[in-house]
Amino acid sequence: MGFRTIFCSLFLLSSICCNGLSAEVSLAQTAQIEVDASHSRKIPETLFGVFFEEINHAGAGGIWAELVSNRGFEAGGPQTPSNIDPWSTIGDESSIYITTDSSSCFRQNSVALRIEVLCENCPAGGVGIYNPGFWGMNVEEGKSYNLIMHIRSLEFVELTASLTCSNGSQNLASSSLLAQGTCRTSRLEPTTRKRGVIWLDQVLLMPSETYKGHGFRKELMYMLLDLKPRFLRFPGGCFVEGDYLKNAFKWKETIGPWEERPGHFGDVWHYWTDDGLGYYEFLQLAEDLGAAPVWVVNVAMNCSELLSCNLGMSHHDFVNGTMLAPFVKDAVDSLEFARGSEESTWGSVRAMMGHPEPFPLKYVALGNEDCNIFMPIYRENYPKFYNDIQEAYPDIQIISNCDGSSGPPDHPADLYDYHIYKNASTVFLKKNEFDRTSRNGPKVFVSEYAVSGELDAGNGSLLASLAEAAFLTGLEKNSWNPDAIVFNSWQQYGTPSYWMQTYFRESSGALIHPITINSSYSDLLAASAITWQDTENTFLRVKIVNFGPNAVNLTISSNGLQAGVDTAKSTVTVLTSSNLLDENSFNEPNKVVPVTSELPKAAEEMQTLLRPYSITSFDLALV
């Protein structure tokens, strides 16, 4: 999705893609799972969370509820004439002339739109421009929308702002912007019938109702909240540094009033963002989700602050030395913005933005996928960032990009970042990846993982979710993970991978128990067992992934329970489908979703049937 849409592939497709359940039951395998409930280990409170990157319009056009795309006409950069897409003209060449110039009143945003109205007797609806937003604006009847436009003219101006449907044929709202109808593909139209010249700049349109009034789209927030994430990693991903330094995410340019933010081109994912969702909003989003912020620092940030720096150079070409000092200071300043007191330089800026209390930022990742042969200076730069951050904030936990799964990194770190994008069979086999990793030294932080490859699943399939679930049963011991949601302006759905995540949302802070699988079919099974609590009950949850084409006659034995099993409150939840490549869509958002039912035979020892290609969770209520 934006919070990562996942694409997947598997070489087993030709033999397994079309088999339904009914054909497999007769070929059922047998397996026995033994849970040792007398032994346990506490899972970290921050085990599972969300990785956010500005990709697929996850922020601009997604969770950030702003409706106007390219609000400041800056998408072409500071040069004029600039790129004003997706703005378009209302009226022909004889009635209106549109261009851009550098007459903006905002220091950070030099470009303004110049509208010259040529007609004396303009059409009844006027002439002007329109903006369709990101996917067509979703305008709903009875809801109100807040509009801000910065207008300049040397004479009296008559300007009407309207929300119309699609081609402008239906007027949904004008001056008051209280919608009189619903249209999923609306557009904003500033128009006039008066001859003259108007400069328009920084046009912002937001729904009056957003999550807690913080600017976040409610329905997407609810989907994230339902996952109970314990951390939020931001701003990426490749987005944090860009292919070129001039396109890196510069946090100081994403705070303060929206109209003062210059925005930037995300050259990795090839679209412009106005940075309405900036560093402050990230911290606010994490707080609203109840998640620990994980801040990713570009090891070569804010090149524009350096007089000798060539803005066009790739970050891979960054030269070490005295030029590094402003980058390190910028990283420490970002922590002061989040953590500093109201009296501190950057903490006072945060307070003026409406949050006098510090944010609980405790994790900082130094770079993104930078510890490799293409970035030899990463190890040279790392100590400078590490030392200055630790001196200023000793409690901050630092995440290194260098893999520590086979041995500790050659530099100090609290955690090391691990990414994996492989086909489904490879991801499934990674379920035991960290079993033999030393429990001493830096802990693993799996911040990016997915089944990848177009042949497996297209836009996210059951197949992908099965492999990823198996991977997570191994990670449940000591790591974290991201999510997958697909959306347009008014719809959203979870891919099977999203729904798979719901199986793990109670794992943070739970107790994990040793588990063994006895079966000739065990190479295609993955399982874990935890004890978790809701507000009223304690449950033993046994999760099992069946990655094979056969049903399984399964016996589950739970040894060492200190309580009995309450059959009435026990449940079983299954995620599967008749076709391994099934996926959800806007037309069928619930084609592949978990189904929960009662478990009348719940007991310390019980027999059940696992469906082929399925994820099953048995929740045994303990009394």
Side-chain angles (χ1 to χ4, degrees):
M1 78 167 173
F3 283 84
R4 275 276 167 174
T5 301
I6 296 176
F7 301 89
C8 344
S9 69
L10 177 64
F11 65 90
L12 299 174
L13 276 181
S14 59
S15 63
I16 61 180
C17 69
C18 301
N19 293 324
L21 174 62
S22 59
E24 302 297 343
V25 174
S26 61
L27 302 176
Q29 301 286 321
T30 60
Q32 183 173 8
I33 285 181
E34 296 181 0
V35 178
D36 183 1
S38 64
H39 291 83
S40 64
R41 219 166 22 88
K42 186 176 175 61
I43 296 174
E45 293 286 347
T46 51
L47 185 65
F48 289 99
V50 174
F51 159 45
F52 178 92
E53 181 169 2
E54 182 58 84
I55 177 176
N56 298 341
H57 287 279
I63 198 166
W64 187 242
E66 184 175 340
L67 298 177
V68 174
S69 177
N70 191 15
R71 66 169 180 250
F73 312 98
E74 309 280 344
Q79 296 79 19
T80 56
S82 182
N83 174 16
I84 68 169
D85 291 340
W87 293 93
S88 296
T89 304
I90 301 172
D92 58 29
E93 294 180 357
S94 65
S95 59
I96 186 171
Y97 176 71
I98 300 290
T99 189
T100 56
D101 60 26
S102 300
S103 62
S104 173
C105 61
F106 300 107
R107 180 179 58 85
Q108 295 264 59
N109 303 296
S110 60
V111 177
L113 184 72
R114 184 181 185 274
I115 304 174
E116 184 175 0
V117 180
L118 305 173
C119 50
E120 289 285 0
N121 298 305
C122 296
V127 297
I129 56 173
Y130 70 85
N131 188 295
F134 298 90
W135 330 95
M137 298 178 182
N138 178 36
V139 174
E140 299 184 39
E141 184 174 2
K143 293 188 176 181
S144 59
Y145 300 84
N146 298 326
L147 174 66
I148 299 174
M149 296 191 298
H150 293 84
I151 306 167
R152 180 170 63 90
S153 179
L154 302 178
E155 52 197 345
F156 180 76
V157 173
E158 292 180 359
L159 192 67
T160 300
S162 305
L163 288 171
T164 68
C165 190
S166 298
N167 60 5
S169 59
Q170 179 187 1
N171 193 322
L172 302 171
S174 54
S175 56
S176 66
L177 293 185
L178 176 64
Q180 304 300 314
T182 294
C183 180
R184 308 300 188 186
T185 55
S186 304
R187 65 193 205 184
L188 173 67
E189 297 185 0
T191 57
T192 183
R193 297 177 61 191
K194 181 178 175 59
R195 181 169 179 153
V197 179
I198 301 170
W199 282 268
L200 194 61
D201 199 7
Q202 295 300 320
V203 182
L204 295 86
L205 179 67
M206 291 279 284
S208 296
E209 294 184 8
T210 60
Y211 187 78
K212 292 187 176 182
H214 292 157
F216 306 122
R217 185 169 149 184
K218 285 185 175 181
E219 60 272 27
L220 293 180
M221 280 294 294
Y222 294 145
M223 291 191 73
L224 292 177
L225 286 164
D226 199 41
L227 292 173
K228 301 180 182 178
R230 298 299 182 90
F231 82 91
L232 175 66
R233 177 175 177 248
F234 179 92
C238 301
F239 183 78
V240 67
E241 49 197 16
D243 275 341
Y244 288 85
L245 285 174
K246 66 180 180 180
N247 297 316
F249 182 85
K250 304 174 180 65
W251 74 268
K252 288 177 181 175
E253 296 183 1
T254 73
I255 61 173
W258 299 343
E259 63 272 17
E260 296 283 0
R261 302 181 187 185
H264 75 287
F265 180 64
D267 58 359
V268 177
W269 307 120
H270 308 296
Y271 63 88
W272 176 266
T273 171
D274 292 308
D275 287 329
L277 178 58
Y279 182 45
Y280 174 84
E281 287 75 22
F282 148 63
L283 294 168
Q284 184 65 73
L285 178 61
E287 183 174 81
D288 287 348
L289 291 172
V294 180
W295 173 231
V296 184
V297 172
N298 183 359
V299 294
M301 278 185 79
N302 278 346
C303 188
S304 59
E305 293 183 359
L306 306 174
L307 296 179
S308 59
C309 182
N310 176 7
L311 289 180
M313 72 181 181
S314 167
H315 64 269
H316 295 304
D317 297 328
F318 179 71
V319 179
N320 194 8
T322 58
M323 290 176 62
L324 189 64
F327 291 75
V328 177
K329 182 180 184 304
D330 189 81
V332 176
D333 286 349
S334 72
L335 302 182
E336 184 178 274
F337 178 87
R339 297 270 303 264
S341 70
E342 293 182 68
E343 290 74 34
S344 65
T345 300
W346 290 105
S348 65
V349 176
R350 181 200 67 239
M352 286 188 293
M353 294 182 68
H355 203 286
E357 302 83 12
F359 287 103
L361 195 159
K362 297 180 181 179
Y363 302 92
V364 175
L366 295 184
N368 175 72
E369 298 180 352
D370 293 327
C371 188
N372 55 60
I373 59 173
F374 302 107
M375 285 286 285
I377 62 170
Y378 178 77
R379 283 185 168 88
E380 298 177 33
N381 292 348
Y382 182 96
K384 300 177 177 64
F385 285 89
Y386 181 92
N387 293 335
D388 280 30
I389 290 173
Q390 285 289 289
E391 181 179 354
Y393 299 95
D395 64 316
I396 288 283
Q397 294 196 43
I398 304 294
I399 304 170
S400 169
N401 284 184
C402 298
D403 188 3
S405 56
S406 58
D410 58 1
H411 49 257
D414 298 290
L415 303 101
Y416 63 90
D417 206 353
Y418 181 94
H419 297 182
I420 178 172
Y421 294 98
K422 299 291 184 180
N423 63 39
S425 58
T426 301
V427 172
F428 177 84
L429 293 173
K430 291 288 185 179
K431 60 184 179 178
N432 303 120
E433 175 76 3
F434 301 104
D435 287 1
R436 291 174 295 279
T437 299
S438 172
R439 269 37 182 178
N440 299 318
K443 307 303 181 184
V444 61
F445 170 35
V446 179
S447 65
E448 296 185 39
Y449 78 95
V451 172
S452 61
E454 294 181 2
L455 295 179
D456 271 13
N459 293 315
S461 72
L462 173 65
L463 171 62
S465 67
L466 294 175
E468 292 159 3
F471 180 59
L472 293 185
T473 60
L475 294 180
E476 201 163 25
K477 302 167 186 175
N478 56 2
S479 190
W480 306 328
N481 68 288
D483 315 299
I485 300 171
V486 180
F487 55 84
N488 58 22
S489 64
W490 63 283
Q491 297 168 295
Q492 60 285 320
Y493 66 84
T495 65
S497 294
Y498 167 84
W499 291 109
M500 176 273 294
Q501 305 287 337
T502 64
Y503 283 69
F504 294 85
R505 61 189 171 194
E506 283 84 18
S507 293
S508 295
L511 298 176
I512 188 166
H513 306 290
I515 190 170
T516 57
I517 302 175
N518 297 306
S519 175
S520 61
Y521 194 66
S522 61
D523 286 348
L524 292 174
L525 300 176
S528 67
I530 65 169
T531 299
W532 66 279
Q533 294 179 314
D534 64 12
T535 55
E536 299 179 354
N537 301 287
T538 299
F539 296 89
L540 174 66
R541 171 174 291 174
V542 181
K543 293 190 291 292
I544 308 166
V545 178
N546 182 359
F547 198 61
N550 293 62
V552 178
N553 288 313
L554 178 68
T555 300
I556 301 177
S557 300
S558 305
N559 305 313
L561 289 177
Q562 301 300 309
V565 176
D566 185 345
T567 302
K569 294 181 180 179
S570 298
T571 60
V572 57
T573 302
V574 181
L575 179 67
T576 190
S577 191
S578 60
N579 190 314
L580 189 56
L581 296 185
D582 277 349
E583 58 188 55
N584 296 328
S585 64
F586 290 125
N587 291 330
E588 295 182 281
N590 298 316
K591 187 173 185 177
V592 188
V593 297
V595 176
T596 300
S597 56
E598 295 178 351
L599 192 58
K601 296 183 179 180
E604 293 184 31
E605 181 168 310
M606 52 181 282
Q607 283 75 42
T608 187
L609 183 70
L610 289 182
R611 298 182 65 179
Y613 306 120
S614 63
I615 312 168
T616 305
S617 175
F618 299 94
D619 279 284
L620 307 183
L622 304 180
V623 292

